[in-house]
Amino acid sequence: MTIIAGTVVKGKQLGRKLGFPTANVDAKMHGLRNGVYGVLATVNHQFHLGVMNIGVKPTGSNLEKTLEIFLFDFHRDIYGEKIECSILFKFREERRFDSLESLTKQIKKDISCAAKRFELIGIMAPNKKESLLSHQELNLPDLCFYKKCNNLYGVNRGVYNVIDNWFFEYGITQVAYRRIYILSFLSFLKEDNPKVSSKYIRFGAGGLADKLNRFISSYVEESEENRLG
Ligand SMILES: Cc1cc2nc3c(=O)[nH]c(=O)nc-3n(C[C@H](O)[C@H](O)[C@H](O)COP(=O)(O)O)c2cc1C
């Protein structure tokens, strides 16, 4: 699970007309499935949340696989700038729409759906003004950050360390990114098992390794390299 990095290039600029100016990114997309994702992006050393579409944009006539990102609350022109992006979750498949109006409606839904997930994960406040990102919570000392996860999800220190270590081995070497993945994974576990009202986290059959594999395979193409033994 590497971070996707590339340069922002010009698209057909239709997104701008639809009301969603997107950054088209010239990046390697090996192993990434087409679809619509919630992402964390970095532009000029600043974190931003957004939605990303990877695919061939079947509503138009584009046949090439492209990657484009709509960043929340972002109004700057960034053509030619570097962007890094990390996938937090996938929420739907790319599909063909009968009209641009229906596509626009769907993208609006995508944005509110992603915002809800970001709130659930704890990286975006409902009023969008105070987010975990702007509060620098991601840069808290280790113990404070662990305590936050413990309060939110009932994860104990041993399990937290295993998850942290697993994401590090997986290639997420930057601490702030890894912490977002940890929050994202913990919220995935909770969502996966909504009926369990216990304060403590449960992994069910297959244990933690199985859940980590399922979390990753929800958006990364299965490969031997990506599987946990
Ligand atoms: C969140 C998001 C979801 C999208 N989903 C679809 C989709 O399901 N089908 C599709 O044909 N295009 C989809 N698109 C791509 C739009 O068609 C695209 O943004 C628009 O055509 C602008 O492209 P351009 O910047 O190359 O002009 C999506 C774009 C975004 C940002």
Side-chain angles (χ1 to χ4, degrees), residues 58-208:
T59 308
S61 54
N62 187 7
L63 291 175
E64 227 183 289
K65 182 161 169 166
T66 55
L67 184 159
E68 58 176 323
I69 307 174
F70 171 75
L71 296 175
F72 294 176
D73 298 320
F74 193 87
H75 309 286
R76 204 160 60 75
D77 206 332
I78 48 168
Y79 290 128
E81 288 187 37
K82 297 267 177 242
I83 187 165
E84 279 188 352
C85 156
S86 186
I87 295 173
L88 298 184
F89 48 84
K90 176 173 180 174
F91 55 97
R92 73 168 173 91
E93 297 301 328
E94 184 188 48
R95 62 185 184 85
R96 191 178 181 284
F97 290 86
D98 293 337
S99 66
L100 285 180
E101 286 74 38
S102 333
L103 172 62
T104 310
K105 261 194 195 156
Q106 180 60 51
I107 296 179
K108 276 189 191 151
K109 274 193 202 154
D110 293 341
I111 290 169
S112 66
C113 171
K116 282 203 187 99
R117 279 292 284 278
F118 291 138
E119 282 168 28
L120 250 173
I121 295 171
I123 54 176
M124 187 165 150
N127 62 13
K128 295 188 192 169
K129 292 259 152 37
E130 286 176 73
S131 74
L132 182 72
L133 303 174
S134 64
H135 265 207
Q136 301 297 310
E137 276 197 72
L138 293 174
N139 296 312
L140 281 171
D142 281 341
L143 191 59
C144 299
F145 190 78
Y146 157 67
K147 279 187 178 154
K148 184 186 164 65
C149 294
N150 174 267
N151 282 338
L152 284 171
Y153 298 102
V155 63
N156 71 36
R157 186 78 216 212
V159 169
Y160 175 91
N161 286 348
V162 170
I163 298 170
D164 191 30
N165 205 51
W166 191 82
F167 281 125
F168 178 82
E169 304 264 302
Y170 210 94
I172 306 166
T173 51
Q174 291 183 43
V175 174
Y177 273 96
R178 206 160 62 244
R179 287 179 170 182
I180 287 177
Y181 270 95
I182 292 170
L183 288 171
S184 186
F185 175 63
L186 292 172
S187 94
F188 164 84
L189 282 182
K190 202 170 188 174
E191 217 171 71
D192 211 33
N193 214 345
K195 289 203 188 101
V196 176
S197 56
S198 158
K199 182 175 176 298
Y200 300 101
I201 212 145
R202 298 271 162 92
F203 302 113
L208 177 59

